[in-house]
Amino acid sequence: MGQIASVPIDILKTIEERLVIHEDNLEKDLIDTTYFETDFIKYLYEAADGLTAAEIKLKEVKRQRYLDYLTGNTGDPKIDNRALKAGQVEMLLDGDSHVLTALRRVEEYQNIVKFYENTLKSVKQKSMNINTILKFRRFMNGENVAD
């Protein structure tokens, strides 16, 4: 499990650069933003796949640890020598280090997915803002702004 799931630093720098509106060439900036949005969706899907894998792993770990507690194979002699009921096992699972590690991994991926979703909303908002600026400029120049 070791490594923490996180957003790569190079992506963070790219996001910061891409959310700035460059008024000197709005048309190019709109096209670049659209391409970035398309590319960025890939990161969201990868994070969602990671979340799904982490959730599956959590279920597997819970199942295995449940069986370990019931069969007395936890590796802890204090617990293995006791006859546990299902309700007691559920309480022990809530504090089990293996389960907590898997749960932390799920939470990490949930946060990453939320971050990507919110960033994608910001990128879409940038596109809408550029479109609004372009329409306003066309309006001010007396051009037809109907879509």
Side-chain angles (χ1 to χ4, degrees), residues 62-74:
K62 276 186 167 181
R63 182 181 158 276
Q64 183 58 49
R65 293 304 288 168
Y66 187 86
L67 292 174
D68 290 345
Y69 282 112
L70 286 179
T71 59
N73 294 323
T74 64

Side-chain angles (χ1 to χ4, degrees), residues 21 26 122 124-134:
I21 294 177
L26 287 173
S122 296
K124 289 180 180 189
Q125 184 63 45
K126 178 185 175 185
S127 294
M128 290 173 46
N129 290 342
I130 292 172
N131 272 324
T132 302
I133 293 169
L134 288 171

Side-chain angles (χ1 to χ4, degrees), residues 90-104:
E90 289 295 330
M91 288 175 45
L92 288 170
L93 280 177
D94 290 340
D96 185 83
S97 64
H98 299 284
V99 172
L100 291 175
T101 300
L103 182 60
R104 186 174 65 240

Side-chain angles (χ1 to χ4, degrees), residues 79-91:
I79 295 173
D80 291 346
N81 295 333
R82 296 179 64 197
L84 298 172
K85 297 178 182 172
Q88 293 171 316
V89 172
E90 289 295 330
M91 288 175 45

Side-chain angles (χ1 to χ4, degrees), residues 4-132:
I4 295 174
S6 63
V7 177
I9 292 175
D10 59 329
I11 293 175
L12 294 174
K13 291 177 184 176
T14 303
I15 291 168
E16 190 174 319
E17 293 168 1
R18 295 296 184 124
L19 289 179
V20 175
I21 294 177
H22 304 283
E23 290 191 43
D24 53 327
N25 193 349
L26 287 173
E27 288 83 3
K28 181 184 180 311
D29 197 20
L30 181 60
I31 292 168
D32 290 346
T33 302
T34 303
Y35 282 124
F36 177 65
E37 181 180 336
T38 304
D39 291 339
F40 196 77
I41 291 171
K42 174 185 79 169
Y43 298 122
L44 177 59
Y45 282 137
E46 289 173 359
D49 288 346
L51 175 59
T52 301
E55 289 171 338
I56 291 169
K57 182 69 176 172
L58 173 62
K59 288 179 183 178
E60 290 172 355
V61 168
K62 276 186 167 181
R63 182 181 158 276
Q64 183 58 49
R65 293 304 288 168
Y66 187 86
L67 292 174
D68 290 345
Y69 282 112
L70 286 179
T71 59
N73 294 323
T74 64
D76 185 353
K78 294 176 187 174
I79 295 173
D80 291 346
N81 295 333
R82 296 179 64 197
L84 298 172
K85 297 178 182 172
Q88 293 171 316
V89 172
E90 289 295 330
M91 288 175 45
L92 288 170
L93 280 177
D94 290 340
D96 185 83
S97 64
H98 299 284
V99 172
L100 291 175
T101 300
L103 182 60
R104 186 174 65 240
R105 188 78 165 169
V106 168
E107 290 169 351
E108 290 168 358
Y109 274 107
Q110 286 172 338
N111 289 332
I112 291 171
V113 167
K114 286 179 189 173
F115 171 78
Y116 284 147
E117 287 173 340
N118 290 334
T119 302
L120 195 55
K121 287 178 187 175
S122 296
V123 171
K124 289 180 180 189
Q125 184 63 45
K126 178 185 175 185
S127 294
M128 290 173 46
N129 290 342
I130 292 172
N131 272 324
T132 302

